[in-house]
Amino acid sequence: MLRFDGEVVVITGGANGLGRSYALEFARRGAAVLVNDVGSAHQGLAAEPAAAQRVVEEIVAAGGIAAANDVSVTSAHGGEEIIADALDRWGRLDVLIHSAGVMRDRTLAKLEFTDLDAVLDVHLKGGFHVAQPAFRAMMTQPSGGRIVMTSSTSGFFGVFGQAAYAAAKGALAGLSRVMALEGARHSIRSNAIVPVATTRLSRGADPGASRPPEDVAQFVVALCHRSCAATGMNFAAGGGWAGRMGVEVGPGFALPGGTAEDITANWDLVQRLGFEEMADGFSIGPYIDERLHEG
Ligand SMILES: NC(=O)c1ccc[n+]([C@@H]2O[C@H](COP(=O)([O-])OP(=O)(O)OC[C@H]3O[C@@H](n4cnc5c(N)ncnc54)[C@H](O)[C@@H]3O)[C@@H](O)[C@H]2O)c1
């Protein structure tokens, strides 16, 4: 059994859906879990601060270690408070999972900027607000730590009506990647997860589906165990499947000296995917690997 005895895990958005499943599973495996959640409705309104406490009671009743924290991830000060809460209680931080989320679907043409702010503040800026103090705390520990940002298929492939959400989720994958680069020399590993689970957040998009968040929790537990070396990667998990999601680079077109007309004439090469080697024998793969390990 993959155990987390003596380890401290912070989970934002831990009161419902995926975050709740993660909290229960990490606690069942011996971790002390800080369940952070403001207890909002899925659009981010109507706070119910007792939501995190309910999950904590469930964990404690099952013999686990947990504490509730109802501070919002939407401010830098809030992010500091959340991480400081875990450090004050248990003296260390091994795993941070940013799972807090709200949903405000609008097409770009109909987007109100208040909705954009609400989505970016929780997902993207919230990620920065908790990741920075967590990263700093992990830098001081010889054992480093593990960070998981929650991305989405929307961030990679786009979903009609989710301009703000897709932008936030794509950006979180970028943040996770940079944390992997900058964290390598501190034994900090960072990955992004693209979950698929039936929760109140996803129910509207796929009403008939039944995809237990517990499946995703099993994957996240494996990813966050100290024995897992993965870093700088994106993983999709849920709906009975888990696998890596990558970035593809095509063969491309040798540009030096090329005119716009040359490029137009070779457009099929420019937009083709599916080759690792680039046009002039230069491959981007080793460059990326080097960057990951040079830190
Ligand atoms: N369910 C899916 O299939 C799916 C797919 C892709 C991505 N995601 C992402 O996974 C994460 C979890 O989603 P879920 O489906 O479990 O949704 P959920 O609504 O069940 O849980 C999200 C939690 O975040 C909390 N939250 C909202 N604003 C907060 C804030 N300011 N501070 C702290 N907590 C806050 C909510 O109160 C809620 O408990 C989200 O980031 C979501 O975008 C989910």
Side-chain angles (χ1 to χ4, degrees):
M1 184 178 182
L2 297 178
R3 299 283 310 178
F4 290 79
D5 304 281
E7 296 201 9
V8 175
V9 179
V10 171
I11 302 170
T12 73
N16 288 292
L18 288 158
R20 175 178 169 276
S21 289
Y22 304 156
L24 295 173
E25 192 58 23
F26 277 102
R28 195 176 74 81
R29 292 168 182 272
V33 181
L34 188 78
V35 182
N36 160 262
D37 207 301
V38 294
S40 76
H42 80 287
Q43 290 200 324
L45 306 168
E48 188 214 349
Q53 185 56 38
R54 271 203 301 275
V55 176
V56 168
E57 280 161 17
E58 230 180 303
I59 290 172
V60 172
I65 308 164
N69 176 294
D70 64 3
V71 175
S72 174
V73 298
T74 53
S75 74
H77 179 69
E80 295 269 0
E81 261 187 67
I82 293 163
I83 301 305
D85 191 357
L87 293 171
D88 290 348
R89 285 174 195 276
W90 298 305
R92 55 182 296 110
L93 174 61
D94 299 284
V95 176
L96 166 68
I97 302 171
H98 177 44
S99 190
V102 296
M103 197 67 115
R104 301 261 182 112
D105 285 3
R106 300 275 186 280
T107 59
L108 179 63
K110 292 183 181 161
L111 181 73
E112 298 280 350
F113 284 92
T114 48
D115 293 326
L116 176 67
D117 286 343
V119 169
L120 294 186
D121 283 355
V122 176
H123 291 277
L124 180 55
K125 292 179 80 177
F128 277 88
H129 295 153
V130 288
Q132 188 188 56
F135 191 98
R136 286 176 175 164
M138 289 171 180
M139 281 172 71
T140 68
Q141 300 175 165
S143 57
R146 290 134 264 158
I147 298 176
V148 174
M149 292 287 121
T150 309
S151 187
S152 166
T153 49
S154 187
F156 283 87
F157 306 116
V159 168
F160 187 96
Q162 291 192 339
Y165 182 79
K169 291 308 202 184
L172 281 171
L175 169 63
S176 168
R177 179 84 193 159
V178 172
M179 288 194 292
L181 293 168
E182 294 178 358
R185 64 180 151 176
H186 305 293
S187 303
I188 298 171
R189 293 189 283 99
S190 171
N191 293 285
I193 172 125
V194 173
V196 181
T198 308
T199 66
R200 60 186 199 158
L201 206 76
S202 63
R203 211 165 277 132
D206 202 355
S210 173
R211 302 188 181 101
E214 289 75 18
D215 283 359
V216 185
Q218 294 302 317
F219 181 80
V220 169
V221 156
L223 179 64
C224 292
H225 193 259
R226 58 193 166 279
S227 63
C228 177
T231 190
M233 298 183 190
N234 308 307
F235 295 100
W241 179 85
R244 187 172 170 192
M245 290 174 57
V247 178
E248 218 179 338
V249 179
F253 170 65
L255 198 53
T259 63
E261 288 73 19
D262 294 333
I263 293 165
T264 301
N266 287 281
W267 195 255
D268 62 323
L269 271 180
V270 173
Q271 70 172 28
R272 190 181 302 166
L273 284 176
F275 290 87
E276 284 209 345
E277 285 300 304
M278 297 174 80
D280 56 358
F282 174 77
S283 167
I284 204 168
Y287 169 76
I288 291 175
D289 285 347
E290 255 169 49
R291 295 292 304 277
L292 190 55
H293 293 110
E294 78 186 4

